[in-house]
Amino acid sequence: MSGNIRLLTDTLAAARAEGRSALIAYLPAGFPTVDGGIEAIKAVFDGGADIVEVGLPHSDPVLDGPVIQTADDIALRGGVKIADVMRTVREAHAATGKPVLVMTYWNPIDRYGVERFTAELAEAGGAGCILPDLPVQESALWREHAEKHGLATVFVVAPSSKDARLGEITAAGSGFVYAASLMGVTGTRESVGTQAQDLVKRTRATGTDLAVCVGLGVSDARQAAEVAGFADGVIVGSAFVKRMLDAPDDAAGVEAVRALAGELAKGVRGQA
């Protein structure tokens, strides 16, 4: 069974052909429940997201700020397992036909088994994985299995990444490059800042043909429009999670993320 890297790259190319950035949303699996998380992802796609990253909840995150950590804690207390992450990917993709990735730290995959994880993710219809803490020089085993199963390997670059390092990362990665807009953890911010634009420029200067998508800090349509002016994709996570955390009940949370996706979709199209 082959995964959906082609669907991912075709989706990014289609957005580019429309003269806009792709909208990429992030939500953790198992939050507020496994079923509730699946409904939220469907709603985000319905609202206008092009791609969704499903977070694999982790007890010791290095990239995630307090909002996503809170959601992860809820999911972990609810007993979420890797099987639930795969089910989330499967049902979200089957219901929408859209590309769904998993964002995860390396340790859960290492414990689960690389071959088992990649095979199950491909079977679920997944498009690939974002691996924020897997060093490129230690990624050969993962990339071998990901390629075998038709999955993207998305690496994260940061403003601190040297140009030579950017070249190594873009040469090894596939699907797209995740450009962290600033140094620090995820969370909504008043301004995305100029570091992100410089990072996109330097990443493209490596000669890569991968899309460069920017995350960390985007929370509203205005910021989405700002980032869409220089990036191939706009990644939004904490703002979606916060809408669900602030909602009075699960049904209201689903409607809140659908509405936010609609606002952000206008932003990336310059209609905000």
Side-chain angles (χ1 to χ4, degrees):
M1 183 77 179
S2 184
N4 273 312
I5 186 172
R6 172 55 75 85
L7 176 62
L8 174 66
T9 55
D10 284 354
T11 299
L12 289 162
R16 185 181 298 163
E18 291 175 19
R20 66 174 179 89
S21 287
L23 174 59
I24 305 173
Y26 167 96
L27 283 168
F31 168 70
T33 62
V34 176
D35 288 342
I38 292 167
E39 290 309 307
I41 291 167
K42 290 180 190 174
V44 165
F45 273 131
D46 187 50
D50 299 289
I51 298 160
V52 166
E53 306 169 3
V54 174
L56 195 160
H58 195 273
S59 58
D60 187 27
V62 294
L63 186 71
D64 301 310
V67 170
I68 290 174
Q69 284 185 38
T70 299
D72 279 3
D73 286 345
I74 291 168
L76 291 166
R77 285 203 305 272
V80 70
K81 300 286 192 292
I82 287 179
D84 299 311
V85 177
M86 298 299 178
R87 182 186 152 212
T88 300
V89 172
R90 179 181 293 105
E91 295 194 16
H93 172 64
T96 64
K98 302 278 181 70
V100 182
L101 301 105
V102 169
M103 185 165 187
T104 179
Y105 298 101
W106 179 245
N107 193 39
I109 295 176
D110 195 35
R111 288 204 312 265
Y112 198 72
V114 175
E115 169 58 23
R116 181 184 177 196
F117 191 95
T118 51
E120 290 183 8
L121 182 56
E123 188 276 328
C129 248
I130 301 164
L131 300 159
D133 66 341
L134 178 63
V136 171
Q137 63 269 27
E138 297 173 20
S139 67
L141 178 66
W142 164 266
R143 286 187 285 128
E144 175 191 337
H145 288 288
E147 191 172 335
K148 180 170 81 171
H149 290 292
L151 298 168
T153 298
V154 179
F155 290 113
V156 177
V157 298
S160 60
S161 302
K162 303 287 190 254
D163 291 349
R165 181 75 173 154
L166 291 177
E168 292 174 13
I169 290 170
T170 57
S174 57
F176 63 91
V177 180
Y178 186 126
S181 67
L182 38 74
M183 301 304 294
V185 295
T186 59
T188 61
R189 289 172 174 83
E190 289 300 312
S191 172
V192 177
T194 58
Q195 289 186 96
Q197 190 164 0
D198 179 63
L199 179 57
V200 170
K201 187 176 175 183
R202 290 196 300 119
T203 303
R204 286 180 175 151
T206 65
T208 185
D209 58 2
L210 294 175
V212 184
C213 304
V214 170
L216 271 68
V218 177
S219 61
D220 58 31
R222 178 187 59 79
Q223 291 174 331
E226 177 191 343
V227 174
F230 59 81
D232 299 302
V234 179
I235 303 169
V236 182
S238 295
F240 281 112
V241 175
K242 190 170 188 310
R243 290 275 179 116
M244 293 188 69
L245 286 169
D246 290 347
D249 55 52
D250 292 357
V254 167
E255 290 313 309
V257 295
R258 189 195 315 274
L260 178 58
E263 295 163 21
L264 294 166
K266 288 181 179 176
V268 299
R269 288 169 172 79
Q271 300 166 357

